[in-house]
Every structure is written in C-alpha cells, then in structure tokens.
Amino acid sequence: MKNKKTAWLVKVAMLSAVATVLMLVEFPLPFIAPPFYELDFSEVPVLVGAFALGPLAGVVVEGLKILLNLLINGTITAGVGEFANFVMGVVFVLPASLIYKRRKTKANAAFGLVLGGVFMVVVSCFVNGYIMLPLYSKFMPLDAIIKQAANIWSVIDSVFDFVLLCVAPFNLIKVVLVSVITLVIYKPISPILKG
C-alpha cells in the first residue's frame, strides 16, 4: 500500500513538473484576444494524469502546476490569472476524467473531453465576465481591456462583447487543441503511468 502511494505521488510530481514547463511556453492568439490571454498546453499532462491516475490526480497536478509556476514566474495579477487558470483547468479536467473513469474507452475519453470543454468554455465566460475581469481591472482599467479587444473586433464595446468574442473563442481553441493532443498521446503514455 505504501509503495502504491509513493508511486502515485512520484507520478503526480512528474506530471506537475511537465505541466509547469509547458505552462512556461505560452503564446498569444492576437487574432482572437488581447495579448494578456496566452495559450499553453499545460492541461495535456493534467488530463493524461487524470485519465491514468484518476480525477484527484488531475486536480492535484493542476494545483501543483499553478503553485510551481507562481514560484518560478511570480504573478503580475496578484494571483487573479493563476486562480482563473486553476478554476478553468479543474472545470475542464474533472468532467472529462470522471466520465473516462466510469468506462475507460476512447469514445468515453472523447465524450468526456467534449463535455469538459463545453463546461470550461461556458464557465470561463461567466467567471471572466463577473469575477476575473472585475478583479483584473484593479491592475488594468476595464476600459483599456475593452479597447484592446476592440482593436481586434471593432464591435466590442462591453464586457459581454469581450467575453463572447474573445474569451469564448480563445478557450474553445485551447480545448480543441489540448483534447486532440491528449487523445493522440494518452494510449502510448498510459502504460508507463499505470505500471
């Protein structure tokens, strides 16, 4: 029993380290959202861990990834961006891994990723519109955020427009890319994590 716990902890730590490194490699999607929205692929090891080791492992990897990134990079948003990243990651990973855990098939993995992705996109709109953007506006005025978005989409003149035309598409692109990569690499990697 002790060896199983130790092995689980080692695997979670390894996946957290990989997720942290991937979180450091981020890039904006300037055709969708302002540059402070940056895409990374750190959810891939989180999902791989959640599928192979269970939903709890996914949440722990997500949390450790954020903590390690804070230690390495610090924060320019007083933790607002990091908290948002954690919430969105958990909202994506939990439904996907819970569905996969019930019946471990590729179809269930795909269905879980779609459902988790839909949850993430919808929740990200509400969380960004009502919590994160108001909090973030303490560091950057809301008008400046809207103006940056209006440079991309001239019709944006409100938080609602921003969420609909920037936040939702940005997160949809992220969900699709992360899901496809996870589906492609999970089977070859899973024996290492399950063994």
Side-chain angles (χ1 to χ4, degrees), residues 117-183:
V118 168
F119 281 167
M120 180 183 164
V121 171
V122 170
V123 170
S124 73
C125 290
F126 284 104
V127 168
N128 272 276
Y130 292 106
I131 300 170
M132 296 305 163
L133 286 171
L135 285 173
Y136 196 72
S137 70
K138 296 185 186 322
F139 307 97
M140 176 184 238
L142 203 50
D143 290 346
I145 295 170
I146 301 297
K147 188 175 179 183
Q148 280 190 24
N151 289 335
I152 301 164
W153 303 102
S154 60
V155 295
I156 293 176
D157 66 357
S158 69
V159 170
F160 177 80
D161 294 340
F162 178 83
V163 165
L164 188 66
L165 295 172
C166 293
V167 174
F170 177 89
N171 282 302
L172 183 61
I173 290 169
K174 180 174 182 168
V175 161
V176 169
L177 293 173
V178 166
S179 295
V180 168
I181 293 168
T182 300
L183 286 173

Side-chain angles (χ1 to χ4, degrees), residues 102-116:
R102 291 187 71 197
R103 191 161 170 242
K104 296 185 176 191
T105 65
K106 193 165 191 167
N108 260 16
F111 176 67
L113 289 166
V114 168
L115 188 64

